[in-house]
């Protein structure tokens, strides 16, 4: 936002208060601009504990966002939305926060070819696996209720929330391995881009990946200790692998068919040559 002061004034303090009953508000910084001299001065936001000043000079002030969310974490609740605009609209409401709930979109196999959902808005007409998972989760917290922040131990690659902890055990470019300790049934949100070709397993068994919070991935995790794997196995890779294996099998079989007759003829030829190699011995035997 931009607010005109009307004239040059000396400012000792700027107070910002938010009075909207539901919507969210994040204060990232305040700057004071002198339209006459074109000077820009960043205001100090030392009372905002979420941001820690790490650098400053005459031209800029740099703050660290200590409340940034980790790559993966557990969320206590979920709400099912239609893809696209409905998800974005729900994210703009004041009761949504990534630590409070996950917005899950219907999986691709529940949509028509044109992307339109075959289900209605009612929870009871959702796919069975998703409906049962939503029923087992508690309802989302209200907008005014406090939310336990998600913390992250960068050295141990572990996030901790009210529902438990998630540790990235082996990060890789085409796989993500996670160790999860869930106090209750939860939603595991992985802040990696949702993209076709990714598969997930829970303790070695396939599990459904949901598109979460418009861009990311999520799976439902039951209470307890679990190992979760995200593996990138696009259909093109599986098709190419099948074609390669099939072509290799045909080639090997063809080589066998070509080699066996030549091997047999070689053995027959060797035996014949061996019988005719000593004619003088045969003549001695006849005498």
């Amino acid at each position: 936002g931009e607010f005109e002061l009307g004239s040059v004034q000396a400012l000792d303090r700027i107070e910002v208060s938010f009075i909207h009953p539901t919507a969210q508000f994040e204060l990232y910084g305040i700057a004071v601009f002198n339209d006459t001299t074109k000077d820009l001065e960043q205001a100090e936001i030392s009372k905002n504990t979420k941001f820690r000043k790490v650098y400053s000079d005459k031209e800029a002030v740099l703050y660290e966002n200590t409340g940034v969310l980790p790559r993966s974490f557990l969320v206590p609740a979920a709400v099912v939305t239609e893809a696209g605009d409905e998800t974005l609209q729900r994210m703009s409401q004041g009761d949504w926060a990534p630590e409070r709930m996950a917005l899950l979109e219907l999986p691709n196999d529940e949509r028509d070819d044109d992307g339109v959902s075959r289900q209605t808005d009612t929870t009871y007409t959702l796919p069975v696996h998703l409906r049962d998972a939503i029923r087992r989760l508690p309802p989302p917290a209200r907008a005014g209720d406090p939310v336990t922040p998600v913390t992250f131990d960068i050295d141990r690659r572990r996030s901790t929330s009210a529902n438990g902890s998630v540790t990235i055990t082996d990060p890789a470019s085409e796989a993500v391995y996670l160790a999860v300790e869930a106090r209750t049934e939860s939603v595991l949100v992985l802040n990696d881009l949702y993209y076709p070709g990714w598969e997930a397993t829970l303790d070695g068994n396939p599990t459904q990946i949901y598109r979460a919070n418009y861009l990311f991935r999520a799976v439902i995790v039951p209470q307890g200790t679990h190992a979760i794997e995200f593996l990138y196995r696009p259909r093109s890779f599986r098709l190419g692998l099948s074609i390669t294996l099939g072509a290799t099998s045909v080639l090997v079989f063809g080589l066998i068919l070509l080699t066996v007759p030549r091997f047999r003829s070689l053995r027959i030829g060797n035996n014949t040559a061996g019988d005719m190699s000593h004619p003088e011995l045969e003549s001695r035997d006849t005498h």
Side-chain angles (χ1 to χ4, degrees):
E2 181 179 332
F3 306 94
E4 295 185 5
L5 301 178
S7 61
V8 177
Q9 302 181 28
L11 302 177
D12 295 327
R13 184 177 62 182
I14 299 176
E15 294 184 359
V16 179
S17 60
F18 191 61
I19 60 175
H20 195 281
T22 60
Q24 299 180 83
F25 176 72
E26 289 283 351
L27 178 64
Y28 294 100
I30 298 177
V32 179
F33 179 70
N34 189 322
D35 192 51
T36 303
T37 63
K38 307 302 181 183
D39 292 332
L40 179 68
E41 181 179 352
Q42 292 281 348
E44 182 69 40
I45 54 174
S46 57
K47 290 186 178 181
N48 192 334
T49 58
K50 184 176 180 179
F51 299 97
R52 181 174 63 91
K53 186 168 68 173
V54 295
Y55 174 81
S56 65
D57 58 21
K58 294 182 179 180
E59 298 181 355
V61 180
L62 181 62
Y63 291 90
E64 177 189 4
N65 183 359
T66 59
V68 64
L69 290 174
R71 185 179 180 185
S72 59
F73 56 96
L74 293 176
V75 179
V79 173
V80 180
T81 63
E82 294 286 347
D85 292 342
E86 182 180 341
T87 301
L88 294 177
Q89 291 174 3
R90 187 59 188 266
M91 293 175 71
S92 65
Q93 296 180 10
D95 64 337
W96 181 83
E99 309 97 322
R100 190 190 305 272
M101 71 178 80
L103 302 181
L104 305 182
E105 297 183 7
L106 289 175
N108 291 332
D109 57 0
E110 300 299 332
R111 301 183 182 279
D112 294 323
D113 294 337
D114 58 359
V116 177
S117 172
R118 295 196 297 267
Q119 309 294 342
T120 67
D121 296 337
T122 307
T123 302
Y124 298 98
T125 59
L126 295 175
V128 175
H129 56 85
L130 183 56
R131 180 192 63 195
D132 293 343
I134 296 297
R135 284 178 171 176
R136 293 192 299 268
L137 295 172
R142 295 176 300 178
D145 295 341
V147 179
T148 303
V150 179
T151 60
F152 183 63
D153 187 337
I154 191 171
D155 295 326
R156 302 173 65 182
R157 296 197 296 256
R158 173 180 293 180
S159 67
T160 304
S161 64
N163 282 56
S165 63
V166 181
T167 303
I168 301 178
T169 58
D170 187 12
S173 59
E174 296 185 354
V176 182
Y177 302 94
L178 305 172
V180 178
E181 297 179 7
R183 298 186 181 96
T184 60
E185 185 151 354
S186 310
V187 181
L188 170 69
V189 176
L190 179 66
N191 284 330
D192 286 1
L193 185 66
Y194 181 90
Y195 193 79
W198 282 94
E199 300 176 356
T201 61
L202 174 67
D203 298 329
N205 301 312
T207 188
Q208 178 71 50
I209 298 178
Y210 300 100
R211 183 169 180 168
N213 302 339
Y214 193 71
L215 287 176
F216 307 118
R217 297 176 235 157
V219 297
I220 307 297
V221 180
Q223 180 181 6
T225 301
H226 305 282
I228 297 179
E229 298 180 0
F230 288 88
L231 303 174
Y232 186 59
R233 294 174 177 172
R235 184 179 302 177
S236 58
F237 173 79
R238 297 195 299 267
L239 180 60
L241 181 62
S242 301
I243 294 175
T244 301
L245 292 176
T248 302
S249 301
V250 172
L251 179 61
V252 171
F253 185 71
L255 290 175
I256 293 175
L257 292 179
L258 292 175
T259 303
V260 169
R262 294 184 60 186
F263 180 72
R264 288 178 176 176
S265 62
L266 181 61
R267 291 189 57 185
I268 294 174
N270 288 339
N271 292 338
T272 305
D275 294 340
M276 300 299 295
S277 58
H278 300 287
E280 66 276 6
L281 294 180
E282 294 180 0
S283 60
R284 289 179 183 178
D285 292 339
T286 55
H287 292 294

